[in-house]
């Protein structure tokens, strides 16, 4: 519900502040007084386009601010999705700078225009002669039928299943795409894996060890000859190191009785003797191990060539990295081989979900079909009461193919309309008469107001083309409708104006050399004069004043 509207420096409005009633708010005034300016200002709050041309004073900015007392699930969802703090009151502000730049705020938080439009559509529906808005939207048409059919619970269940079904379909599509890509690479991956597997990388050998062995095998004869010479130097022949050390030990020991410090020298010489014996034995052992083995030399050489080639090919620096790469290829092959099984399992689950989805869609479709005749009958009767005795609303329900199931089920709902006998039905958006459209919307909203959450509704001159008894009936319908939702009605008919809870009068006032649009909230006596003016002209007669009092119940 729109509680207040403040407008500053917009079009012909210098500044005004309006407080609206909860039910039927009437706006009247002579043609050209500026009633459409009020709608324009309200439209800015709802995200309509703005520019600096709308500024009354080109040196100052324009500000339009509205306060709403509205809360339902759709509005709460909007605040949650957009990460905005929801409060008991919703404050929307729109500012237009003198340069034409626009800024928007929801509860003092900056928002973009698309967010403003989304929230605006949940708060206010402006219905003019040339705008059918919700009436032309398939979503609204479907919601009218569903409100009568009582499908909310089934629809929630259906949408949960539909979401699961769509996720499964997407996952299957992604896996099939992955499968197609993988199978095109399968031969390549298999070849790479086999090549690495055949290289027997898990033997536990290192490239450094192989290179060491290769050097040894390549110089085996040279090593053996050298070690033989070493053995001769240490212990072979008469003149060798061990013999010389033994002689040295004897000399030092014989002298140590004269100088005790030489005992340490003798001990050190004995250590050298022991070390030389160990060296001699170790070199002998190494010499025995080294042999000329051309076959082993060829094997080691080939092994190193394989490892070097694979490292260079795959641009890695170690055998361990080759092993990791081989494991990656193996995992890819396992995934490729398991994709068919995974896809098959998901498709079975998808089929189960589709059966559940179709069953729920059938139930919803049947419920819709049952209530359509009743809606058509109610609308026809109300339209006849509103001066359109031959007008008929036909609701066309088209059952979609199974592959066309959507968020709303298996039905496409379309409203068709004929205002006159013998005239073919056509889509509402193609019906030319604004008055017919307005009255049709009034009927639909009056019927569903207690069944679904509708925003504040603004009717702009819904009375076009009607008078007399029909005008009374429109006023009665609007008054009844306002018990369920807030209405703002711009009207030229006294029969409608007299039914309002709150009555605003729009007029022009010349101050100095400038013309301004002003709005006043009429008190009881002023309302009588305004309704009388609507009955008989600018200078109401006594009879018109009396008739106005009767209309207003005074």
């Amino acid at each position: 519900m729109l509680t207040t509207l403040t407008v500053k420096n917009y079009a012909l409005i210098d500044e005004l502040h309006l407080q609206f009633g909860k039910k039927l708010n009437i706006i009247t005034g002579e043609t050209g007084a500026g009633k459409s300016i009020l709608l324009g200002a309200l439209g800015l709050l709802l995200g309509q386009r703005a520019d600096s041309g709308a500024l009354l004073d080109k040196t100052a900015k324009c500000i339009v601010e509205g306060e709403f007392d509205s809360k339902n699930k759709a509005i709460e969802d909007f605040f949650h999705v957009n990460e905005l703090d929801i409060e008991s009151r919703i404050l929307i502000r729109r500012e237009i700078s003198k340069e034409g730049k626009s800024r928007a705020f929801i509860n003092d938080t900056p928002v973009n225009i698309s967010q403003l439009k989304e929230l605006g559509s949940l708060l206010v529906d402006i219905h003019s002669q040339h705008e059918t808005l919700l009436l032309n939207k398939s979503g609204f048409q479907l919601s009218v039928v569903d409100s009568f059919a009582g499908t909310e619970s089934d629809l929630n269940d259906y949408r949960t299943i539909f979401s699961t079904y769509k996720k499964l379909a997407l996952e299957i599509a992604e896996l099939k795409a992955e499968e197609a890509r993988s199978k095109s690479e399968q031969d390549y991956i298999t070849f790479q894996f086999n090549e690495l597997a055949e290289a027997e990388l898990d033997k536990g050998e290192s490239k450094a060890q192989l290179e060491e062995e290769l050097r040894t095998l390549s110089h085996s004869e040279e090593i053996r000859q050298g070690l033989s010479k070493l053995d001769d130097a240490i212990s072979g022949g008469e003149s060798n190191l061990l013999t010389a050390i033994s002689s040295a030990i004897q000399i030092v020991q014989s002298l140590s009785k004269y100088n005790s410090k030489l005992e340490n020298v003798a001990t050190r010489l004995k250590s050298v003797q022991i070390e030389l014996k160990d060296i001699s034995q170790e070199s002998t052992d190494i010499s025995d191990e080294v042999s000329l083995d051309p076959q082993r030399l060829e094997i080691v050489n080939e092994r190193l060539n394989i490892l070097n080639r694979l490292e260079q090919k795959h641009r890695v620096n170690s055998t361990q990295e080759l092993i990791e790469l081989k494991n990656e290829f193996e995992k890819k092959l396992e995934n490729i081989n398991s994709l068919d099984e995974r896809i098959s399992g998901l498709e079975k689950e998808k089929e189960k979900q589709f059966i559940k989805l179709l069953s729920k869609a059938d139930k919803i479709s049947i419920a819709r079909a049952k209530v359509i005749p009743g809606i058509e009958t109610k609308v026809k009767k109300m339209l006849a009461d509103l001066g359109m005795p031959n007008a008929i609303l036909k609701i066309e329900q088209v059952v979609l193919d199974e592959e066309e199931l959507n968020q709303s089920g298996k039905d496409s709902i379309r409203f068709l309309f004929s205002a006159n006998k013998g005239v073919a039905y056509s889509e509402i958006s193609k019906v030319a008469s604004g008055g017919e459209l307005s009255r049709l919307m009034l009927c639909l909203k009056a019927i569903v107001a207690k069944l679904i959450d509708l925003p504040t509704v603004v009717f702009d001159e819904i009375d076009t083309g009607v008078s007399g008894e029909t005008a009374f009936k429109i006023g009665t319908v609007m008054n009844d409708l306002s018990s369920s939702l807030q209405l703002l009605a711009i009207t030229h008919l006294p029969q409608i104006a007299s039914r309002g809870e709150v009555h605003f009068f729009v007029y022009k006032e010349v101050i100095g050399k400038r013309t301004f649009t002003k709005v006043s909230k009429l008190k009881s006596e002023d309302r009588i004069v305004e309704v009388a003016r609507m009955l008989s002209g600018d200078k109401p007669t006594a009879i018109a004043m009396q008739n106005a009092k009767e209309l207003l119940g005074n």
Side-chain angles (χ1 to χ4, degrees):
M1 181 183 73
L2 176 62
T3 57
T4 62
L5 177 67
T6 301
V7 185
K8 296 179 181 179
N9 196 35
Y10 176 72
L12 295 179
I13 298 173
D14 180 26
E15 182 172 352
L16 64 83
H17 180 77
L18 304 179
Q19 289 186 310
F20 296 94
K22 295 180 179 180
K23 296 183 177 181
L24 178 56
N25 295 267
I26 296 296
I27 301 172
T28 63
E30 295 183 356
T31 301
K35 298 184 294 296
S36 61
I37 294 176
L38 276 180
L39 288 186
L42 184 57
L44 289 179
L45 286 184
L46 307 180
Q48 291 181 8
R49 186 177 177 183
D51 57 59
S52 59
L55 275 59
L56 175 64
D57 180 354
K58 305 300 182 183
T59 65
K61 66 181 177 181
C62 162
I63 299 176
V64 181
E65 191 170 83
E67 187 177 280
F68 297 83
D69 183 8
S70 298
K71 188 181 291 186
N72 56 40
K73 188 177 185 306
I75 291 173
E76 290 176 354
D77 289 345
F78 168 84
F79 275 82
H80 176 71
V81 169
N82 290 277
E83 298 181 346
L84 296 169
D85 293 331
I86 187 166
E87 300 175 5
S88 58
R89 296 291 180 95
I90 299 172
L91 187 66
I92 299 178
R93 186 170 77 255
R94 185 85 179 272
E95 298 179 357
I96 308 167
S97 69
K98 59 186 179 181
E99 293 80 18
K101 294 181 180 179
S102 171
R103 295 198 303 165
F105 303 85
I106 296 175
N107 289 344
D108 289 326
T109 300
V111 295
N112 58 43
I113 296 302
S114 63
Q115 290 173 306
L116 194 63
K117 283 184 178 179
E118 184 179 354
L119 178 59
S121 69
L122 300 174
L123 294 170
V124 179
D125 168 27
I126 298 180
H127 188 80
S128 68
Q129 293 183 49
H130 306 293
E131 293 177 298
T132 55
L133 296 178
L134 288 175
L135 187 56
N136 284 323
K137 294 182 179 179
S138 60
F140 174 76
Q141 296 176 1
L142 192 58
S143 72
V144 170
V145 176
D146 282 334
S147 66
F148 273 86
T151 58
E152 182 178 0
S153 178
D154 285 325
L155 267 172
N156 288 336
D157 293 342
Y158 171 88
R159 285 168 180 152
T160 299
I161 301 169
F162 184 78
S163 177
T164 302
Y165 175 78
K166 281 295 185 181
K167 286 178 182 177
L168 286 169
L170 179 61
E171 188 175 356
I172 290 169
E174 289 174 347
L175 285 176
K176 285 185 175 180
E178 182 183 346
E179 182 183 44
R181 290 192 302 270
S182 298
K183 287 194 172 179
S184 68
E185 300 172 354
Q186 189 172 13
D187 290 343
Y188 169 78
I189 296 172
T190 301
F191 175 80
Q192 301 299 332
F193 171 75
N194 289 339
E195 185 180 43
L196 291 172
E198 289 168 4
E200 298 180 296
L201 301 169
D202 300 322
K203 280 184 173 183
E205 62 191 3
S206 71
K207 204 168 102 174
Q209 290 173 329
L210 290 171
E211 289 172 341
E212 174 70 19
E213 187 179 359
L214 178 65
R215 286 192 297 272
T216 299
L217 288 168
S218 300
H219 300 85
S220 59
E221 186 59 33
E222 185 179 345
I223 292 170
R224 287 174 66 86
Q225 289 176 1
L227 291 177
S228 178
K229 290 178 181 179
L230 175 63
D231 186 57
D232 284 344
I234 294 173
S235 60
E238 294 181 1
S239 178
N240 58 64
L241 292 174
L242 285 175
T243 300
I245 290 294
S246 294
S247 298
I249 291 171
Q250 291 175 1
I251 293 169
V252 173
Q253 283 179 335
S254 64
L255 294 174
S256 63
K257 59 186 177 183
Y258 305 119
N259 189 326
S260 60
K261 291 181 179 179
L262 290 175
E263 290 178 0
N264 184 52
V265 175
T267 299
R268 292 171 64 189
L269 284 170
K270 287 177 182 179
S271 296
V272 172
Q273 184 184 45
I274 293 170
E275 186 68 20
L276 281 172
K277 286 179 180 179
D278 285 343
I279 291 171
S280 177
Q281 183 59 50
E282 187 173 349
S283 65
T284 300
D285 292 341
I286 293 173
S287 180
D288 290 341
E289 291 173 0
V290 175
S291 61
L292 183 61
D293 189 346
Q295 186 176 0
R296 179 58 184 168
L297 176 63
E298 185 178 349
I299 290 172
V300 172
N301 197 41
E302 177 62 26
R303 185 71 179 155
L304 280 169
N305 286 338
I306 290 173
L307 294 178
N308 287 327
R309 177 178 60 80
L310 289 175
E311 286 181 7
Q312 185 176 13
K313 174 181 178 179
H314 295 287
R315 297 182 181 180
V316 297
N317 299 312
S318 68
T319 305
Q320 182 58 37
E321 290 180 86
L322 287 175
I323 292 172
E324 292 171 1
L325 188 60
K326 184 202 74 167
N327 293 338
E328 287 180 19
F329 285 134
E330 185 176 24
K331 188 174 181 180
K332 285 183 179 180
L333 290 173
E334 289 174 355
N335 286 339
I336 291 171
N337 294 330
S338 67
L339 278 175
D340 281 337
E341 185 178 341
R342 290 168 61 193
I343 290 171
S344 176
L346 288 173
E347 284 183 331
K348 287 178 182 177
E349 180 59 27
K350 178 188 167 190
E351 183 62 28
K352 288 180 184 178
Q353 294 297 324
F354 183 74
I355 292 171
K356 291 167 62 178
L357 193 66
L358 198 58
S359 174
K360 189 65 72 172
D362 287 339
K363 182 179 178 182
I364 294 169
S365 183
I366 291 169
R368 288 167 175 166
K370 284 181 179 179
V371 300
I372 285 175
I375 299 172
E376 292 173 339
T377 300
K378 286 185 178 182
V379 172
K380 178 175 174 58
K381 182 179 182 305
M382 288 191 70
L383 287 172
D385 290 341
L386 297 179
M388 299 171 66
N390 297 312
I392 298 175
L393 173 71
K394 183 174 180 59
I395 301 176
E396 185 180 79
Q397 179 184 20
V398 178
V399 178
L400 306 173
D401 293 334
E402 290 183 357
E403 61 271 14
E404 295 180 286
L405 289 176
N406 56 47
Q407 276 283 86
S408 301
K410 62 184 290 186
D411 300 308
S412 170
I413 296 293
R414 188 171 64 147
F415 284 8
L416 302 175
F417 185 67
S418 173
N420 300 293
K421 187 176 292 187
V423 176
Y425 296 110
S426 63
E427 292 182 14
I428 290 177
S429 60
K430 297 178 181 178
V431 177
S433 169
E436 292 167 352
L437 288 175
S438 295
R439 276 177 276 174
L440 175 58
M441 179 58 112
L442 178 60
C443 291
L444 289 172
K445 289 184 176 178
I447 290 172
V448 303
K450 297 179 181 179
L451 301 172
I452 60 176
D453 287 326
L454 284 173
T456 293
V457 178
V458 180
F459 283 110
D460 181 13
E461 299 186 359
I462 196 173
D463 50 26
T464 300
V466 300
S467 59
E469 185 63 25
T470 300
F472 273 111
K473 290 179 177 178
I474 289 178
T476 299
V477 171
M478 292 177 69
N479 187 54
D480 292 342
L481 181 57
S482 69
S483 65
S484 301
L485 68 152
Q486 183 188 44
L487 288 183
L488 278 64
I490 296 175
T491 182
H492 289 291
L493 292 180
Q495 296 94 329
I496 294 176
S498 63
R499 306 306 296 271
E501 173 194 21
V502 178
H503 191 151
F504 296 99
F505 178 64
V506 182
Y507 61 98
K508 285 183 178 178
E509 182 177 334
V510 178
I511 302 175
K513 295 182 178 180
R514 304 189 70 174
T515 301
F516 298 92
T517 289
K518 301 286 186 177
V519 180
S520 63
K521 187 176 183 179
L522 300 181
K523 296 180 180 179
S524 179
E525 289 301 318
D526 296 326
R527 286 194 72 186
I528 295 173
V529 173
E530 172 60 8
V531 171
R533 183 195 65 78
M534 297 173 75
L535 284 167
S536 64
D538 288 338
K539 296 180 179 180
T541 63
I543 296 176
M545 291 290 287
Q546 183 58 40
N547 288 339
K549 289 180 181 180
E550 292 176 3
L551 283 174
L552 290 165
N554 292 344

